[in-house]
């Protein structure tokens, strides 16, 4: 049977079972819990993007601009840090460690002078001369006040802190022994001499060694601060040279590619970096030179002069005790201990004065040292006369030669002490001048480094940005 005309045949019916579709790939499963994230893909993607950017001039310019900005910022930041560190160390030299070193020397001098005054007052008899008593009281008050000042600026666990604690503990015991010696001396009892010797032993064996260690510790801290302030900023200098080289290379590259002599942004960045690099070099050079002068011409002389003054005080105390003990205290060689210690102290005093004269820079510094040397010679001559009189039993003449107001060892001891005091003041002034100049050379460098680095970074970014704008 045929289909009627104009009638389309019906489409064949769909098969009962459609053919299987190909499987759809599933997304990769997430990493198991606790597993470290995969970083290689991200790093590879970043590297690919950087390589792609580096193949075009705009991409290369962006990389160069970022590198230059980062470099000059690092230069400024490290310079600010190192300059601040050097400034802090120099400030410690001027305002902390050197003043504390001076205070430590004054503590030693005050204690030794108090011991000398106590012995002089004992020899003068009762009643004790008012000026001698006043000298003793002033020295003890000075030492106590300086110990309080030193304690407020010192860590208790440090070497200085331990010596300060020893001095604070022993000083009341010493003054107690002196008062007992005075009480017995006023009664005319020989027991007073024994208490004076006990007090001197406490001073000699405990207090003065502690004061000497305190002085040595503070002097070492001064040397450390000085060395820290003079340390050359190697990292800043290297980064500065690298920044200057990078900026110069970027400008040369710009010239070779565009035939333009100057890029204003890069030129400003180079100028700022150059100024900072030169400022850093000049400031550190001046600071090192001035602090070195302070160390060599000031502190070295101060140490020798302080040693000389200490030796003169110790020699004077032993000289007085020679007449107090009258040979009752012997050393291991069965010789008069105080006479032997006096001779040793005078030898050390003469040697220290010779060194101080050699270290003096000019006549102003040499004159008081020369005067002290002459007074030491007179002192020793009069002491020999006093010692000879004492050995022949002429105690009254010996006493007059030691504690008399005129033509006595006491007179020349006071001249030695006055000359050394003047020399110390002159050297202290010289040290302060040099050290302050060194500190001033570093002033403002840290802040200036930050400002110039920021200027250089902005200049580098603007300079590169000007080139990038040509590609838009």
């Amino acid at each position: 049977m045929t289909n009627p005309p104009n009638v389309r045949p019906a489409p064949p019916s769909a098969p009962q079972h459609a053919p299987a579709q190909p499987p759809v790939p599933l997304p990769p499963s997430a990493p198991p819990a606790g597993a470290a994230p995969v970083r290689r893909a991200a790093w590879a993607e970043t590297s690919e993007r950087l390589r792609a950017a580096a193949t075009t001039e705009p991409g290369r310019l962006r990389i160069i601009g970022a590198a230059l900005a980062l470099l000059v910022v690092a230069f400024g930041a490290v310079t600010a840090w190192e300059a601040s560190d050097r400034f802090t160390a120099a400030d410690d030299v001027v305002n902390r460690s050197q003043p504390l070193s001076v205070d430590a020397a004054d503590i030693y001098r005050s204690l030794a002078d108090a011991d000398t005054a106590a012995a002089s007052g004992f020899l003068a008899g009762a009643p004790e001369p008012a000026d001698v008593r006043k000298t003793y009281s002033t020295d003890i008050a000075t030492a106590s006040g300086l110990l309080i000042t030193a304690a407020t600026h010192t860590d208790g666990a440090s070497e200085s802190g331990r010596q300060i604690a020893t001095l604070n503990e022993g000083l009341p015991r010493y003054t107690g022994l002196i008062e007992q010696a005075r009480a017995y001396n006023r009664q005319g009892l020989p027991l007073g001499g024994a208490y004076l010797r006990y007090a001197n032993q406490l001073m000699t064996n405990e207090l003065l060694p502690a004061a000497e260690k305190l002085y040595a510790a503070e002097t070492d801290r001064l040397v450390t601060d000085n060395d820290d302030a003079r340390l050359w900023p190697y990292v800043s200098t290297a980064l500065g040279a690298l920044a200057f080289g990078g900026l110069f290379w970027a400008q040369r590259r710009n010239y070779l590619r565009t035939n333009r002599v100057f890029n204003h942004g890069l030129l400003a960045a180079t100028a700022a970096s150059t100024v900072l690099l030169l400022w850093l070099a000049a400031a550190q050079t001046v600071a090192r030179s001035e602090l070195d002068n302070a160390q060599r011409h000031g502190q070295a002389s101060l140490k020798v002069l302080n040693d000389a003054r200490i030796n003169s005080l110790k020699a004077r105390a032993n000289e007085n005790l020679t007449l107090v003990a009258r040979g009752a205290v012997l050393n291991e060689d069965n010789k008069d201990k105080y006479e032997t210690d006096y001779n040793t102290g005078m030898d050390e005093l003469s040697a220290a004065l010779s060194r101080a004269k050699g270290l003096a820079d000019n006549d102003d510094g040499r004159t008081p040292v020369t005067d002290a040397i002459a007074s030491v010679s007179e002192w020793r001559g009069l002491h020999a006369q006093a010692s000879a009189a004492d050995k022949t039993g002429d105690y009254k003449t010996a006493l007059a030669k030691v504690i008399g107001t005129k033509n006595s060892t006491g007179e020349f001891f006071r001249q030695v002490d006055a000359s050394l005091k003047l020399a110390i003041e002159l050297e202290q002034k010289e040290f302060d001048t040099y050290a302050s100049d060194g500190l001033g050379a570093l002033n403002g460098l840290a802040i200036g480094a930050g400002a110039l680095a920021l200027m250089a970074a902005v200049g580098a970014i603007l300079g590169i940005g000007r080139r990038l704008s040509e590609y838009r």
Side-chain angles (χ1 to χ4, degrees), residues 295-418:
Q295 180 71 24
R296 289 189 296 108
H297 300 296
Q299 183 59 29
S301 295
L302 282 171
K303 187 178 186 309
V304 174
L305 289 169
N306 281 321
D307 289 343
R309 199 175 189 189
I310 287 168
N311 285 324
S312 71
L313 290 165
K314 291 165 67 175
R316 178 61 178 170
N318 285 315
E319 182 179 47
N320 290 335
L321 287 167
T322 300
L323 294 181
V324 173
R326 307 289 302 276
V329 181
L330 303 178
N331 59 16
E332 295 178 354
D333 298 329
N334 289 325
K335 295 181 179 180
D336 189 318
K337 176 183 182 303
Y338 297 118
E339 180 69 18
T340 302
D341 290 345
Y342 161 82
N343 289 323
T344 300
M346 294 299 283
D347 290 341
E348 292 176 351
L349 171 59
S350 297
L353 288 174
S354 297
R355 292 195 301 271
K357 186 176 180 179
L359 290 171
D361 299 323
N362 48 46
D363 290 339
D364 289 340
R366 277 188 290 271
T367 298
V369 177
T370 302
D371 293 342
I373 292 174
S375 297
V376 166
S377 178
E378 295 290 338
W379 181 1
R380 298 189 96 158
L382 289 170
H383 176 83
Q385 296 177 24
S387 179
D390 185 39
K391 289 178 180 177
T392 59
D394 190 356
Y395 182 76
K396 185 177 180 180
T397 300
L399 189 62
K401 289 290 184 182
V402 172
I403 66 172
T405 57
K406 293 293 184 180
N407 198 30
S408 66
T409 61
E411 177 186 0
F412 288 100
F413 158 73
R414 288 188 290 272
Q415 291 181 9
V416 170
D417 192 65

Side-chain angles (χ1 to χ4, degrees), residues 104-105 107-108 111 147 159-171 202-218:
I107 289 171
Y108 194 115
L111 293 175
L147 284 172
E159 176 66 17
S160 295
R162 289 190 291 271
Q163 302 309 324
I164 291 172
T166 299
L167 290 167
N168 283 328
E169 179 184 355
L171 190 55
L202 176 61
M203 178 66 74
T204 304
N205 298 331
E206 293 187 27
L207 298 184
L208 289 183
E212 188 172 5
K213 291 178 182 178
L214 175 62
Y215 175 65
E218 295 302 330

Side-chain angles (χ1 to χ4, degrees), residues 214-229:
L214 175 62
Y215 175 65
E218 295 302 330
T219 302
D220 289 343
R221 182 159 67 169
L222 171 60
V223 172
T224 299
D225 288 340
N226 191 286
D227 290 343
D228 290 343

Side-chain angles (χ1 to χ4, degrees), residues 124-196:
E128 186 176 3
D131 58 334
V132 176
R133 181 63 183 259
K134 182 179 179 181
T135 298
Y136 169 84
S137 300
T138 301
D139 286 333
I140 293 298
T142 299
S144 300
L146 291 175
L147 284 172
I148 293 173
T149 301
T152 59
H153 295 87
T154 304
D155 181 8
S158 64
E159 176 66 17
S160 295
R162 289 190 291 271
Q163 302 309 324
I164 291 172
T166 299
L167 290 167
N168 283 328
E169 179 184 355
L171 190 55
R173 290 192 288 128
Y174 172 81
T175 56
L177 289 171
I178 292 296
E179 292 306 320
Q180 287 180 302
R182 285 171 172 166
Y184 285 117
N185 193 41
R186 285 193 297 268
Q187 299 174 31
L189 299 176
L191 191 58
Y195 273 101
L196 183 65

